Amino acid sequence: MNHIVQMKGMNKYFGKLHVLKEIDLTVEQGEVVVIIGASGSGKSTLIRCVNGLEEFESGHLEVDGQALAPKGGNQQVLAEIRKEVGMVFQQFNLFPHLTVKKNIMLAPQKVKDTPQVVANATAERLLERVGIGSQADKFPSHLSGGQQQRVAIARALAMEPRLMLFDEPTSALDPEMIGEVLDVMRELAKEGMTMMVVTHEMGFAREVADRVIYIHEGQIVEEGKPDDVFDNPQNERTQAFLSRVLVR
């Protein structure tokens, strides 16, 4: 199989705080890896390192065959990596002054010099794909939270990424809106999109993940197939965490 992400001995600090400790993690093409753990354990920081939103201090990080150097490194390499990696955040980060369609068209036109007619057609196709084709000409403020997050997913997909990163994409949503966003993510997984997902949605993790990673205080302490991690965790820290978050 082809490695899309490969981390070896990766370390990240915030000042004196050692946030990620000797991380070894490989993500294969077409794999869905779900990262779980308590708040503050380093989950979001880990995936933010993948597209250079956070710099790591030591170790090795390779994304889609390109090595990203510690402490920023080569900006040209980082720019190339970001063309291949889409990211969806907790907050939607849509431009309020642009219509839904224009939000999606912007990055392909600016970053990949996509002609306007092509970007327009791509935006319309992706909005249909995420189930909100009728909202194309509205402004973000006129959409529900769930609809805005689906726009954010469509915007990331417009760059035709080889890898999608999701940083707790449902945490800012009302409970009744969570399902519609998870449904879109399920469909992406079925279509073979490579995904790294940080989430507290354990049912989604069990259903969709090829592999579940549990992080505790900046270290990967357990990983495996969802049924193994959820039904028979080996590490006592994983056991304690799951006992708190799973409904028995």
Side-chain angles (χ1 to χ4, degrees):
M1 298 180 72
N2 297 324
H3 301 327
I4 296 295
V5 177
Q6 192 168 43
M7 302 174 178
K8 293 183 178 179
M10 194 178 77
N11 290 278
K12 164 69 183 172
Y13 293 82
F14 288 128
K16 294 182 179 180
L17 182 62
H18 197 175
V19 182
L20 296 176
K21 304 170 184 176
E22 296 293 324
I23 297 292
D24 293 328
L25 176 62
T26 299
V27 179
E28 307 291 352
Q29 183 175 348
E31 188 177 23
V32 178
V33 174
V34 175
I35 303 164
I36 63 172
S39 297
S41 59
K43 309 183 301 297
S44 294
T45 301
L46 188 150
I47 66 166
R48 288 170 65 89
C49 286
V50 173
N51 64 353
L53 290 177
E54 297 288 356
E55 299 178 354
F56 63 103
E57 274 67 40
S58 64
H60 177 80
L61 172 58
E62 189 174 301
V63 181
D64 199 21
Q66 301 195 73
L68 184 58
K71 298 180 180 179
N74 188 313
Q75 292 301 305
Q76 182 59 40
V77 170
L78 180 57
E80 291 301 315
I81 286 174
R82 285 178 173 167
K83 289 180 182 180
E84 304 297 332
V85 179
M87 187 160 187
V88 178
F89 301 87
Q90 297 178 35
Q91 302 297 329
F92 321 124
N93 295 338
L94 301 175
F95 292 106
H97 65 290
L98 297 179
T99 65
V100 164
K101 186 193 292 185
K102 293 291 187 183
N103 264 280
I104 297 171
M105 293 172 60
L106 187 62
Q109 289 182 288
K110 295 291 187 181
V111 179
K112 290 191 171 182
D113 295 321
T114 302
Q116 181 172 342
V117 63
V118 176
N120 183 78
T122 298
E124 291 179 349
R125 174 177 56 82
L126 289 173
L127 285 170
E128 291 291 342
R129 184 178 180 183
V130 301
I132 49 173
S134 62
Q135 311 298 321
D137 296 321
K138 292 183 178 180
F139 289 90
S141 60
H142 296 158
L143 273 57
S144 70
Q147 289 173 325
Q148 290 187 59
Q149 192 62 294
R150 283 186 279 168
V151 174
I153 293 173
R155 179 180 58 183
L157 292 173
M159 292 292 289
E160 300 181 336
R162 286 171 50 79
L163 168 67
M164 284 284 284
L165 308 176
F166 292 88
D167 185 9
E168 299 190 24
T170 61
S171 64
L173 299 178
D174 293 333
E176 65 269 20
M177 297 177 183
I178 290 173
E180 60 191 53
V181 173
L182 295 180
D183 284 344
V184 173
M185 295 169 65
R186 287 186 184 95
E187 288 302 313
L188 289 176
K190 288 178 182 178
E191 293 167 7
M193 174 64 73
T194 309
M195 298 161 61
M196 296 179 70
V197 183
V198 172
T199 186
H200 293 290
E201 300 293 334
M202 298 300 151
F204 172 84
R206 182 189 284 271
E207 176 188 352
V208 175
D210 295 301
R211 191 156 39 108
V212 173
I213 308 291
Y214 173 65
I215 293 184
H216 177 76
E217 294 182 352
Q219 293 180 297
I220 295 176
V221 300
E222 186 143 5
E223 64 178 294
K225 294 185 179 300
D227 287 347
D228 294 334
V229 172
F230 288 118
D231 294 337
N232 190 30
Q234 300 301 299
N235 189 285
E236 62 182 16
R237 291 167 176 163
T238 316
Q239 295 168 5
F241 172 75
L242 292 176
S243 71
R244 294 193 300 270
V245 300
L246 292 181
V247 177
R248 300 297 182 182

